[in-house]
């Protein structure tokens, strides 16, 4: 899965990344469901170990265009994981109170504590994405943010947080289909937001903003993965596999048992 890593220091051109790619999984969709179930189980165990050990913190950042599947990933990749061990923080249009502070204020508060996994559904990256595309702050303000974000993520990493960032890469045609489904299927009407069409019209600007954000902030301590996301099943397998790999690499251990447990007799 390391092929989906955006190499630190290398300029990303999203045209070189195929959103339809499914080359790392040889089976069909049914086999994929089986594989995801195995990965769900592994994640469940790793989460328990993370909590029991109480040493590491895990931050997962999900970014992508509307309909790219951020909610689907949260639902399906974390299926089976103890809800007490995982928290989701969603970042919407900032409130007046949030806007009165620096952009990292609302973000830092939500970062994980020891033994905890936090999933960011959107993140501080909105402050170099939507904010840049819509000129919500002057260019010389958002341009400084790449360095600030790198420094912030380095701080988190040095203080014991595993930071993993995923860009859910779909193309314009796939987004069209998914938006159309929201119009066609009554039970999906609630998801349709005509504002999404305005953002869709700015697709090239968003891709340029994503390319810069990923190129400038994919680091060894907080890497970006560019996940082919036109196929939902493949997207889920890629993300779950990377999480399992990276959590295993922490080489976590259950804490030592109390001495003398073998002699205890429960009456
Ligand atoms: P979802 O994340 O499911 O799409 P919404 O439809 O409520 O949820 O969208 C959240 C909106 O908030 C997005 O359009 C996003 O760009 C916007 N947003 C998030 N963070 C910021 C920010 N810092 N500044 C401006 N808009 C933001």
């Amino acid at each position: 899965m390391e092929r989906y890593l955006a190499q630190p220091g290398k300029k990303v051109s999203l045209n070189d990344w195929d959103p339809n790619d499914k080359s790392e999984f040889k089976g069909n969709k049914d086999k994929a469901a089986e594989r995801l179930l195995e990965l769900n189980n592994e994640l469940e165990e790793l989460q328990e170990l993370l909590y029991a050990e109480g040493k590491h913190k895990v931050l997962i950042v999900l970014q992508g265009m509307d309909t790219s599947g951020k909610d689907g990933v949260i639902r399906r990749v974390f299926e089976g994981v103890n809800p007490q061990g995982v928290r989701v923080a969603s970042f919407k249009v900032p409130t007046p109170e949030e806007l009165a502070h620096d952009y990292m204020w609302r973000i830092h508060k939500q970062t994980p504590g020891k033994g905890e996994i936090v999933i960011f559904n959107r993140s501080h990256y909105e402050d170099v994405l939507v904010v840049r595309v819509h000129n919500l702050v002057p260019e010389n303000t958002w341009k400084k943010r790449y360095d600030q974000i790198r420094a912030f993520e380095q701080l988190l990493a040095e203080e014991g947080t595993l930071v993993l960032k995923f860009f859910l890469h779909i193309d314009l045609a796939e987004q069209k289909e998914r938006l159309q489904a929201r119009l066609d299927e009554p039970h999906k009407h609630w998801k349709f937001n005509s504002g999404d069409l305005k953002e869709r019209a700015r697709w090239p600007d968003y891709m340029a903003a994503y390319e810069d954000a990923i190129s400038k902030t994919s680091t060894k301590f907080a890497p970006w993965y560019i996940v082919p996301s036109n196929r939902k099943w493949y997207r889920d397998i890629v993300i779950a596999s990377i999480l399992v790999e990276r959590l295993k690499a922490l080489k976590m251990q259950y804490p030592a048992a109390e001495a003398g447990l073998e002699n205890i007799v429960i009456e």
Side-chain angles (χ1 to χ4, degrees), residues 248-266:
K248 279 188 179 163
L250 294 177
K251 305 244 179 290
M252 297 179 286
Q253 303 276 341
Y254 282 105
E258 265 177 55
L261 283 192
E262 63 283 6
N263 301 325
I264 294 180
V265 179
I266 300 175

Side-chain angles (χ1 to χ4, degrees), residues 57-59 87-91 94-114 116-120 122-124 152 155-156 161:
K57 313 151 190 177
V58 179
L59 175 60
R87 180 160 58 81
V88 179
S90 298
F91 296 96
T95 63
E97 191 192 17
E98 288 168 347
L99 278 177
H101 292 79
D102 68 86
Y103 67 99
M104 222 51 112
W105 181 73
R106 65 174 183 163
I107 305 290
H108 205 161
K109 283 201 285 199
Q110 299 282 2
T111 53
K114 286 179 180 166
E116 197 182 17
I117 299 178
V118 172
I119 306 165
F120 278 5
R122 302 186 188 271
S123 64
H124 43 303
F152 170 68
L155 163 81
L156 296 180
T161 307

Side-chain angles (χ1 to χ4, degrees), residues 63-67 70-71 90-94 98-99 103 106-107 121-131 134 136 145 182 191 193 195-196 199 206:
Q63 283 286 163
M65 296 297 285
D66 292 316
T67 76
K70 299 182 287 295
D71 297 304
S90 298
F91 296 96
K92 310 273 183 184
V93 176
E98 288 168 347
L99 278 177
Y103 67 99
R106 65 174 183 163
I107 305 290
N121 183 351
R122 302 186 188 271
S123 64
H124 43 303
Y125 284 95
E126 293 292 324
D127 294 282
V128 288
L129 294 166
V130 63
V131 165
H134 290 284
L136 301 181
R145 292 183 173 172
R182 291 181 178 183
K191 286 196 200 176
N193 172 355
D196 293 351
E199 302 309 312
Y206 270 105

Side-chain angles (χ1 to χ4, degrees), residues 144-254:
K144 293 191 184 117
R145 292 183 173 172
Y146 302 106
D147 286 343
Q148 294 163 355
I149 289 174
R150 268 202 310 272
F152 170 68
E153 292 175 352
Q154 186 169 3
L155 163 81
L156 296 180
E158 288 175 354
E159 291 282 321
T161 307
L162 173 65
V163 183
L164 300 170
K165 303 177 292 193
F166 297 96
F167 169 58
L168 311 186
H169 186 29
I170 56 169
D171 58 24
L172 255 180
E174 181 65 25
Q175 192 194 48
K176 182 176 181 185
E177 267 186 37
R178 294 185 186 181
L179 287 172
Q180 190 64 49
R182 291 181 178 183
L183 282 178
D184 294 345
E185 297 169 34
H187 72 280
K188 288 190 177 169
H189 283 172
W190 67 275
K191 286 196 200 176
F192 189 82
N193 172 355
S194 44
D196 293 351
L197 299 180
K198 284 205 199 101
E199 302 309 312
R200 174 175 167 80
R202 306 293 300 271
W203 191 276
D205 298 333
Y206 270 105
M207 291 306 112
Y210 268 109
E211 285 176 347
D212 267 352
I214 296 170
S215 307
K216 291 175 193 288
T217 66
S218 194
T219 56
K220 207 164 176 317
F221 48 82
W224 272 106
Y225 291 90
I226 300 173
V227 182
S229 298
N230 273 6
R231 289 184 180 79
K232 295 174 183 170
W233 61 265
Y234 190 69
R235 169 201 76 196
D236 294 341
I237 285 191
V238 169
I239 295 178
S241 303
I242 292 169
L243 291 177
V244 166
E245 261 171 49
R246 298 293 304 243
L247 285 168
K248 279 188 179 163
L250 294 177
K251 305 244 179 290
M252 297 179 286
Q253 303 276 341
Y254 282 105

Side-chain angles (χ1 to χ4, degrees), residues 4-29:
Y4 301 122
L5 175 72
Q7 292 295 337
K10 229 175 129 191
K11 175 88 186 116
V12 166
S13 172
L14 286 171
N15 281 332
D16 300 339
W17 296 76
D18 178 8
N20 284 308
D21 181 30
K22 55 179 174 73
S23 54
E24 294 299 310
F25 188 76
K26 298 292 173 245
N28 56 16
K29 220 172 144 178

